[in-house]
Amino acid sequence: MNERLEHLRHLGAPVFDPPAFRFIEGLLTRAAGLSGAAAERLERRAVTRLQTLERAFLAAQAEAASMLDQLRQEAADPEDRFAQAFERGDFGLLLRDGPRVLRQLRSDTAESARERIRRLLEDARRKGVRLPAELDTAASTALGEAGKADPRAETTARALGDRLAQTLYREAADHVRAAVVVARAHDRLSDDFGMYNPQALAARALAQLEATSPVFLRHYLAGLEDLAALRQLPEPKRR
């Protein structure tokens, strides 16, 4: 637990959520001075809080990384203010001020909106992101309408740019989540697992999937999350 906490400290968790980080530190410090059932209770509580902080931190980190990527694409961070905030774990600054800065930039002409679409399409193709056919077609059509002075075309171009940015964000978030799942699968293994240990086999399979096709792994995990959500539904009264 102390190693995990130090890893989060290095990533910037004390800046991301200072009260939660200090609370976990306090629990571990108090547990170290106790023994028996009292120490175990405090340690269990620290584990629960640490897992919650890790999940929140990684989710915010993925969202902030996507926002930083959009700001860089729009050349909206000339002084690296947002990049420095991301490095120190101040994701709140990115998620609070980043959208406002982007809205100001996107209040320009329809030509600027089309330039944004062009940059996002190039970014998607460079990263190997497969866009929905309808979205890809609409974006290509919007790029072919240069010179139109129709306010509706401007609104459509901005909306398409937003959808493209959201698609790229979801891909980035899925990539981070898949990496976390693979890492956690290995972290949970004991030192003496056997050849046919189910957790070891699952961790090995996930690692193989990640090495063979990261895209397939992301879609596979998304499907498992859908199934997990369905399992939370109440049982029907009648089958």
Side-chain angles (χ1 to χ4, degrees):
M1 268 194 299
N2 284 314
E3 290 179 0
R4 288 166 65 186
L5 197 64
E6 282 304 311
H7 180 62
L8 281 178
R9 185 198 302 278
H10 178 71
L11 293 177
V15 177
F16 168 69
D17 193 341
F21 193 87
R22 288 197 301 269
F23 183 69
I24 296 168
E25 278 187 318
L27 287 175
L28 291 177
T29 301
R30 290 175 59 192
L34 299 172
S35 61
E40 291 178 2
R41 281 197 299 271
L42 289 180
E43 287 176 357
R44 285 197 299 270
R45 194 175 180 191
V47 168
T48 302
R49 292 301 184 102
L50 182 57
Q51 289 174 340
T52 301
L53 178 60
E54 282 178 330
R55 285 195 296 268
F57 181 87
L58 291 171
Q61 185 184 52
E63 193 173 355
S66 176
M67 178 57 62
L68 182 60
D69 192 37
Q70 293 181 54
L71 290 165
R72 284 171 172 166
Q73 289 171 5
E74 303 280 356
D77 192 20
E79 300 177 358
D80 288 337
R81 181 169 71 98
F82 291 110
Q84 292 170 9
F86 182 82
E87 289 298 325
R88 64 176 180 266
D90 190 1
F91 305 140
L93 176 67
L94 272 155
L95 301 178
R96 181 179 63 252
D97 293 353
R100 175 179 56 78
V101 172
L102 288 177
R103 281 195 300 271
Q104 290 175 349
L105 288 173
R106 293 167 187 172
S107 62
D108 295 335
T109 62
E111 187 60 34
S112 296
R114 280 191 286 269
E115 285 299 320
R116 179 177 173 235
I117 290 175
R118 183 177 289 106
R119 285 195 299 272
L120 290 171
L121 279 176
E122 291 174 354
D123 190 36
R125 286 161 186 160
R126 185 174 66 253
K127 294 177 178 178
V129 176
R130 181 176 295 179
L131 299 172
E134 173 265 334
L135 178 58
D136 197 4
T137 301
S140 300
T141 301
L143 291 179
E145 294 178 345
K148 283 192 174 183
D150 185 354
R152 289 175 298 179
E154 177 181 352
T155 302
T156 300
R158 289 177 181 169
L160 281 171
D162 290 341
R163 289 178 60 193
L164 283 168
Q166 290 167 4
T167 301
L168 289 175
Y169 161 70
R170 283 195 296 269
E171 285 288 327
D174 288 345
H175 175 75
V176 172
R177 185 164 58 247
V180 170
V181 167
V182 175
R184 283 285 173 268
H186 286 277
D187 288 345
R188 292 193 179 101
L189 292 178
S190 61
D191 295 332
D192 56 348
F193 61 85
M195 184 181 299
Y196 299 108
N197 180 282
Q199 288 187 335
L201 292 173
R204 196 176 307 146
L206 288 171
Q208 281 289 104
L209 278 176
E210 186 180 40
T212 305
S213 177
V215 175
F216 178 81
L217 175 62
R218 292 201 297 271
H219 286 288
Y220 177 70
L221 292 176
L224 290 181
E225 288 183 348
D226 290 341
L227 290 175
L230 289 174
R231 292 184 65 181
Q232 302 304 316
L233 294 174
E235 287 290 330
K237 294 181 180 179
R238 294 181 59 188
R239 291 191 177 276

